[in-house]
Amino acid sequence: MPPTIYKPSSKEKEWFNDSQAQKLRFISDLGLGVIDWLEPIQGDRVLDLGCGDGVLAERIANRGCEVVGVDSDDYLVGLSRDKGIETYLLNGLDMTFQNEFTAVFSNDSLHTFVDQPEILKPINRALKEDGRFVGELGGFGNLAAIISTLRAIALERKLDETMAHPWLFPTVEEYSNLLESCGFRVDRIITFARPTVLPLDLREWLEITFELYFNQLDPAKRQDALDLVVNALEPVMCDSHGNWLPDFVRLRFSAVKVKDV
C-alpha cells in the first residue's frame, strides 16, 4: 500500500542547506555501527526511518538490499533521492506500509517521537513476520548539561522550558518494555556515552538543534542567551584545543517482530 505523503506546513522552517547538511554529516557517519547490528543480507527489503540525506540508506543498498527511505524534511528527501534511494516525504506516524519489509532501520530519529507506541505500531505493521528492527537513539542522560542549562535560562526568563527537552531519551529498561509492549522481542540493547567533537561551532549547532527553544526569543535576546549557554558549558565541554564535545549518550538495540499489533 503506498504511503500517505506528508506535507510540511508553511510555518515549518526549512533550515537545511548544503553547508548545514555537510556539517551535520557526522550524525550519519556515527551511525555506521548500527548498520553492523542490522547485518544487512542481500535481498533484504529495508525501511530506513528518518533517512536524512540517504548516506546510510545508500550503504545498506550497496550490500545488495532494496531500501526505502522516509523523512519529513523535503530538502533531505531530495538529497536521498539524488543517491538513487526510493524516498518518501512522510511523517513516520503516517506510514501505511503493511508487511512489506524484512527489516526496519533507524538512526538518530526515534527519540523525536515522544509518544513511542504511536511510532512503534506502524513500524511493527511495516515488518514481515520475524522482521528485524534495529536502531539507535538518544539514551537517558543525553545532552544533560546542555538541557539543564537551557532549562535554567528558560525558568529565569519565563520561556517554555519544555522546548529545552522536546524528545524522549529512555533508559534500557524503559525502551525494552516499550518494544516488548509493541510486539517485539529484544535481542540486544545497550546504552553508552559518546563524547563527540563537533565539526561546527557550538553556537551554530545549538541554533540548529534547539531551534524551537531559541525561536522564543527576539534576535537581540537570542544572541545574549546563546552567549550565556556557551559560557556556562565551556569549562565542562570545551577541551584545551577549543574542540566542543557535547555529552551524547546513545541507546542502541536489535529486536525482532514476534506478533502483530
Side-chain angles (χ1 to χ4, degrees), residues 91-142:
N91 186 315
L93 297 175
D94 297 327
M95 295 189 301
T96 58
F97 302 109
Q98 294 286 340
N99 302 312
E100 293 188 36
F101 299 94
T102 55
V104 172
F105 171 86
S106 184
N107 179 61
D108 204 53
S109 174
L110 288 165
H111 54 249
T112 64
F113 300 94
V114 177
D115 189 343
Q116 282 291 302
E118 289 303 303
I119 186 60
L120 293 176
K121 289 175 182 178
I123 290 172
N124 178 289
R125 291 192 291 267
L127 281 166
K128 296 181 177 181
E129 185 178 356
D130 296 324
R132 292 122 57 210
F133 178 28
V134 176
E136 186 173 298
L137 62 154
F140 185 75
N142 189 49

Side-chain angles (χ1 to χ4, degrees), residues 43-254:
D44 265 339
R45 179 168 164 82
V46 180
L47 172 64
D48 184 349
L49 174 62
C51 66
D53 61 4
V55 169
L56 296 180
E58 184 178 39
R59 285 180 175 267
I60 296 170
N62 288 341
R63 298 197 188 186
C65 302
E66 180 184 355
V67 183
V68 174
V70 166
D71 203 279
S72 60
D73 185 279
D74 60 352
Y75 180 78
L76 294 178
V77 165
L79 295 180
S80 181
R81 288 173 176 168
D82 288 345
K83 294 177 176 65
I85 304 299
E86 179 185 349
T87 311
Y88 294 93
L89 179 63
L90 179 68
N91 186 315
L93 297 175
D94 297 327
M95 295 189 301
T96 58
F97 302 109
Q98 294 286 340
N99 302 312
E100 293 188 36
F101 299 94
T102 55
V104 172
F105 171 86
S106 184
N107 179 61
D108 204 53
S109 174
L110 288 165
H111 54 249
T112 64
F113 300 94
V114 177
D115 189 343
Q116 282 291 302
E118 289 303 303
I119 186 60
L120 293 176
K121 289 175 182 178
I123 290 172
N124 178 289
R125 291 192 291 267
L127 281 166
K128 296 181 177 181
E129 185 178 356
D130 296 324
R132 292 122 57 210
F133 178 28
V134 176
E136 186 173 298
L137 62 154
F140 185 75
N142 189 49
L143 304 179
I146 295 173
I147 290 169
S148 296
T149 303
L150 292 176
R151 280 175 59 88
I153 292 172
L155 290 169
E156 179 187 1
R157 301 192 176 195
K158 296 181 170 51
L159 304 176
D160 182 357
E161 64 187 85
T162 64
M163 292 296 97
H165 188 9
W167 309 288
L168 175 72
F169 297 147
T171 64
V172 163
E173 181 181 8
E174 288 171 333
Y175 210 67
S176 294
N177 291 338
L178 280 166
L179 288 166
E180 290 169 0
S181 70
C182 292
F184 295 98
R185 182 192 73 236
V186 179
D187 289 342
R188 283 195 291 174
I189 185 167
I190 62 172
T191 186
F192 56 97
R194 186 197 275 153
T196 304
V197 175
L198 287 179
L200 66 166
D201 180 72
L202 178 68
R203 183 186 302 269
E204 184 179 1
W205 180 81
L206 287 169
E207 287 190 280
I208 294 172
T209 305
F210 293 90
E211 178 190 18
L212 295 178
Y213 177 93
F214 288 106
N215 279 351
Q216 300 178 86
L217 298 162
D218 64 52
K221 293 182 178 180
R222 187 179 306 159
Q223 293 306 311
D224 177 54
L226 281 164
D227 287 340
L228 283 174
V229 177
V230 170
N231 290 335
L233 294 173
E234 186 172 7
V236 296
M237 209 166 281
C238 186
D239 68 17
S240 60
H241 301 289
N243 298 312
W244 287 94
L245 293 89
D247 49 343
F248 291 115
V249 176
R250 315 310 295 163
L251 185 149
R252 184 181 296 176
F253 67 90
S254 174

